[in-house]
Each structure stands twice: as structure tokens, then as C-alpha cells.
Amino acid sequence: PGIVHRIDKDTSGLLVVAKDDATHIGLSQQMAVHSVERAYNTIVYGGFAQDEGFVESNLGRSKTDRKKMCVTTENSREAVTHYFVEQTYRNNTLVRLRLETGRTHQIRVHMAYIGHPLVGDWLYGTEDHNIAKRQMLHSCYLCFTHPITGQIMEFKDEMAEDMRAFIEKLS
């Protein structure tokens, strides 16, 4: 019946796809109440003053560019992103992110909003297409309760090869 957990175009990693209607409804309900645990790895510009923190702001569609989302109070929904610094390099930082909410482009908008756009994010960050072929964002962890069996389902995915290669260049 469809994709339950979506990721942005050019984001790598885990998805949740339901094979039947009952599973789709159950998983969609878990997503709606934010009980699905989701984590991401990303590489951003700049260094952080604190090793962990969170961004809490309302997100809505940009008035000037319909393809973009933005921090706004107008026609918006609450969004919360927790970040944890994994490794700092000279001009970049590897960050692990945990979402409380799941809004369109949430990670990309929140990181740009706090001054740390994703490497390779041409919509919210750099326009230099030579740095990376895509935004350096990877869905690395999902955990939810199977809606039919009640079993806890936990999935982990190693960082995408292109992100690992990018980090090797930074090291």
C-alpha cells in the first residue's frame, strides 16, 4: 500500500514500506503520534559550540519559493530536531540527529537555520556542485512496534559509501 517513512530525494538510508493495508494504517498511526524512533547522520558546515542540543521551531512552506520550507509561524507545524556532534573536522562536523517530529525537509531547514547547512544541499545550503553530488544525509536508524505482531522492530544502516569517502577526505 505504500511508503510509511519517507526520506528526501538524494537522502540515503532506511525507509519503511507497508505490504498490506492493516500494517500501513498501524505504522501511519505510529508516525502520527511520533512513536517511531528515527535517527540520521549528516555532514554539515562549521563547528558547534555545544556537543548536543536541539532545534525547536515551526516549519511551513516558503512564500518566495514553493519548493522550500522555512522557519515561520504562519501556516506552520511544530518541528523538533535533536543533534549530537559525532566528530569535528576543520570546516565540517559529522552530526547524528534524532527527530521528534517528521516535517518536510525538517533536518535540512533546521540545520541551515542554526547556521550549519548540510554539505551538498543546494536548496538550503551551498550552490557549489563540486563539493558533493547530493546532500550528505543518511537515514541510519528506525525503531517501531510492528502493528500486527507487536514485536519491536529495530533497523540500523551503515553510513552511505559517498559520505564515508567524504569523511576520509576531511580526516
Side-chain angles (χ1 to χ4, degrees), residues 38-50:
R38 293 161 292 167
Y40 295 77
N41 292 119
T42 188
I43 304 165
V44 299
Y45 288 101
F48 287 73
Q50 299 176 330

Side-chain angles (χ1 to χ4, degrees), residues 143-161:
C143 184
F144 55 88
T145 303
H146 192 286
I148 308 302
T149 68
Q151 182 181 356
I152 299 297
M153 308 296 292
E154 184 177 45
F155 302 92
K156 297 177 183 178
D157 190 31
E158 289 186 25
M159 191 180 307
E161 180 59 39

Side-chain angles (χ1 to χ4, degrees), residues 47-60:
F48 287 73
Q50 299 176 330
D51 286 343
E52 61 183 69
F54 67 95
V55 183
E56 182 175 13
S57 66
N58 285 17
L59 299 181

Side-chain angles (χ1 to χ4, degrees), residues 62-77:
S62 169
K63 286 184 177 181
T64 58
D65 185 343
R66 297 297 299 160
K67 293 179 184 176
K68 292 177 83 170
M69 302 301 283
C70 67
V71 172
T72 181
T73 55
E74 201 170 311
N75 297 319
S76 61
R77 296 175 75 188

Side-chain angles (χ1 to χ4, degrees), residues 125-159:
T126 181
E127 292 183 9
D128 185 349
H129 294 257
N130 295 319
I131 292 176
K133 294 181 179 177
R134 66 175 185 95
Q135 69 260 5
M136 295 284 103
L137 182 59
H138 182 79
S139 172
C140 62
Y141 179 81
L142 285 168
C143 184
F144 55 88
T145 303
H146 192 286
I148 308 302
T149 68
Q151 182 181 356
I152 299 297
M153 308 296 292
E154 184 177 45
F155 302 92
K156 297 177 183 178
D157 190 31
E158 289 186 25
M159 191 180 307

Side-chain angles (χ1 to χ4, degrees), residues 77-97:
R77 296 175 75 188
E78 177 189 23
V80 180
T81 305
H82 297 266
Y83 64 85
F84 308 89
V85 171
E86 296 283 319
Q87 182 70 48
T88 301
Y89 304 95
R90 192 205 272 147
N91 298 314
N92 300 98
T93 304
L94 172 63
V95 181
R96 185 173 180 86
L97 304 151

Side-chain angles (χ1 to χ4, degrees), residues 91-107:
N91 298 314
N92 300 98
T93 304
L94 172 63
V95 181
R96 185 173 180 86
L97 304 151
R98 186 179 56 80
L99 297 183
E100 274 188 41
T101 55
R103 309 293 179 221
T104 302
H105 298 178
Q106 177 175 325
I107 290 170

